[in-house]
Amino acid sequence: MANVTLHDMHFEPYLGEAEVAHAIDALAANVAKDYANKTPLFVGVLNGSYFFASELLKRLDIPCEITFVKVASYHGTVSSGTVSQLIGLNERIAGRHVVVLEDIVDTGNTIVHIMEALREQQPATVAIASLLLKPEAYKKDIPIDYVALEIPNVFVVGSGLDHDGLGRNLPGIYRLATA
Ligand code: 5GP
Ligand code: MG
C-alpha cells in the first residue's frame, strides 16, 4: 500500500485489506449467532456503509433483509437544535429485529439521531454494527453492539469512508499522514 493524496490531503496506509476482512469475519460470526432465527432487517446508513454492508451480508448464511437510508440534518428551532431525518426507510420496521450498519462511529451524534428515529417506529429490537469505532471520541451511552475495528482519534479513509467524496474505493484503511 502506498501513500495517497485526496484533494489537498495526504494519507498513509493504516490497516490492510486482509486485516479489515479478518475483523469483519469475526463480527459476522457474532451477528450470525445472535440473529440466526430472527430474520433481521439491516439498515445501512449511506453513503459510507455500502462497503461494510456488502462485506457483512456475504458472510451471513441466515435469512435476512437489507435496506439503506440517508441521514439529512437541518437546524430546527433553537430549543430542538439540530434535527435529523431518516430518508428512504420504506420498510415497516414495527416488530422487526433491526441492525443499523455504520461505517464509523466517532462522537456518536449521528447514531443517537438514527436510534431516536428508528425507535419511534417500534421495532422489536435495534442493535448497531459499525466497521470502525473511535472509543476516545465516543461519549454516548448507547452501546455499539458490534464493532469490527477500534481505531484512535485520527481521520481515516478507505473501505467506504471518504474525504470530500474521494477515497471510498480504496481497499483497506488509510490515515491522515503525520508528515
Ligand atoms: P459521529 O461524530 O456523529 O459519530 O460521526 C459522524 C460522521 O462523521 C460519520 O458517519 C462519518 O461520516 C464522519 N466521520 C467521523 N470520523 C471520520 C473519519 O475518521 N473519516 C471519515 N472519512 N469520516 C469520519
Ligand atoms: Mg457516515
Side-chain angles (χ1 to χ4, degrees):
M1 289 168 83
N3 285 15
V4 293
T5 299
L6 305 173
H7 298 296
D8 51 340
M9 281 164 65
H10 306 292
F11 293 86
E12 58 191 24
Y14 178 49
L15 300 167
E17 197 175 355
E19 203 172 337
V20 174
H22 191 69
I24 300 173
D25 286 344
L27 184 151
N30 286 329
V31 171
K33 175 167 56 70
D34 294 348
Y35 288 88
N37 300 306
K38 294 181 174 169
T39 314
L41 173 64
F42 293 100
V43 177
V45 182
L46 292 173
N47 293 324
S49 75
Y50 78 88
F51 165 84
F52 177 47
S54 160
E55 291 297 308
L56 173 60
L57 263 74
K58 75 186 188 188
R59 288 166 168 82
L60 298 179
D61 58 357
I62 61 170
C64 61
E65 295 178 37
I66 185 160
T67 189
F68 289 91
V69 295
K70 277 210 168 201
V71 179
S73 300
Y74 56 93
H75 291 284
T77 62
V78 174
S79 59
S80 61
T82 304
V83 181
S84 295
Q85 202 187 345
L86 287 189
I87 297 176
L89 187 65
N90 301 319
E91 285 70 15
R92 282 179 45 83
I93 66 168
R96 296 294 306 268
H97 294 284
V98 172
V99 183
V100 178
L101 302 181
E102 265 285 21
D103 51 357
I104 188 163
V105 176
D106 183 10
T107 64
N109 289 330
T110 308
I111 206 73
V112 164
H113 290 304
I114 292 169
M115 294 296 268
E116 278 172 9
L118 289 175
R119 281 187 176 135
E120 277 174 16
Q121 299 190 43
Q122 308 194 332
T125 60
V126 195
I128 303 166
S130 186
L131 176 63
L132 303 174
L133 171 68
K134 294 180 180 173
E136 295 160 21
Y138 187 64
K139 299 287 178 245
K140 308 293 181 188
D141 297 329
I142 300 174
I144 310 301
D145 306 272
Y146 305 94
V147 175
L149 293 158
E150 295 192 347
I151 64 168
N153 222 344
V154 294
F155 187 76
V156 295
V157 295
S159 299
L161 291 122
D162 73 308
H163 164 45
D164 198 11
L166 295 179
R168 296 191 196 277
N169 55 313
L170 292 170
I173 304 282
Y174 290 71
R175 56 177 285 170
L176 202 53
T178 43

